Amino acid sequence: GLFKVGEISSAAQGATLFSDMGAVKDRAFRKIKIIAAMMGANVVYLTQHQTVANSFNIHHNHSTAAGTFLSGVVYTTQLPNMEEFKKRTAGKTEFNVIEKASFKSSSSDMTVYPSKWKFRLREVKNENGLIILDGDLQGAGKFNKFRVASFDENFFYIFYEEKGVAYNVKLAI
């Protein structure tokens, strides 16, 4: 089955009146795929897809470049297993951040950079099948609720959004 991970939206705008409408649409789809992957989703169900062509109003000397807006719901076919996560983390409360990926809605690609920050875990919760971590992540401001996007033998990845920026953080187990 499919398990809901969250909601998503993406927009792309042409730089000039002569922008290629297909390229603008491709950019919007690329953005939505990147954010969905950062969230740990592998299925995107689009509920809204709006594309506007280039236009020029000769009477008012006004032009509008091509643009695409997408929104929808993201799902995963396999939720991370809470008991397996707890077993792998073995009651640890402090984890080293290996790298942090960020994606601003105005950018065309995510930025990945190494990190030496720490994550202090207070509590592991199950919210509708999603693993939610209550803790403190250096550099995340006052944000203290993170969702486990995925994990393996050596690492786990948490997702959160803050001030219009999506983050995926890789932590060592």
Side-chain angles (χ1 to χ4, degrees), residues 56-112:
F56 184 75
N57 185 328
I58 196 163
H59 299 293
H60 296 99
N61 198 22
H62 174 75
S63 63
T64 305
T68 296
F69 176 77
L70 306 170
S71 67
V73 182
V74 289
Y75 298 91
T76 184
T77 52
Q78 185 174 356
L79 286 172
N81 182 290
M82 175 98 150
E83 296 310 313
E84 184 66 26
F85 178 77
K86 285 181 175 181
K87 190 168 82 173
R88 294 254 170 98
T89 55
K92 285 176 61 177
T93 58
E94 188 169 298
F95 300 91
N96 293 320
V97 175
I98 305 302
E99 66 184 21
K100 190 172 185 178
S102 65
F103 187 84
K104 296 178 184 172
S105 60
S106 61
S107 60
S108 59
D109 209 351
M110 68 178 170
T111 304
V112 180

Side-chain angles (χ1 to χ4, degrees), residues 149-170:
S150 64
F151 66 90
D152 59 28
E153 298 80 28
N154 303 311
F155 305 101
F156 68 99
Y157 301 81
I158 57 176
F159 174 81
Y160 70 101
E161 289 181 282
E162 185 176 36
K163 297 179 183 173
V165 180
Y167 294 95
N168 183 284
V169 182
K170 180 180 182 180

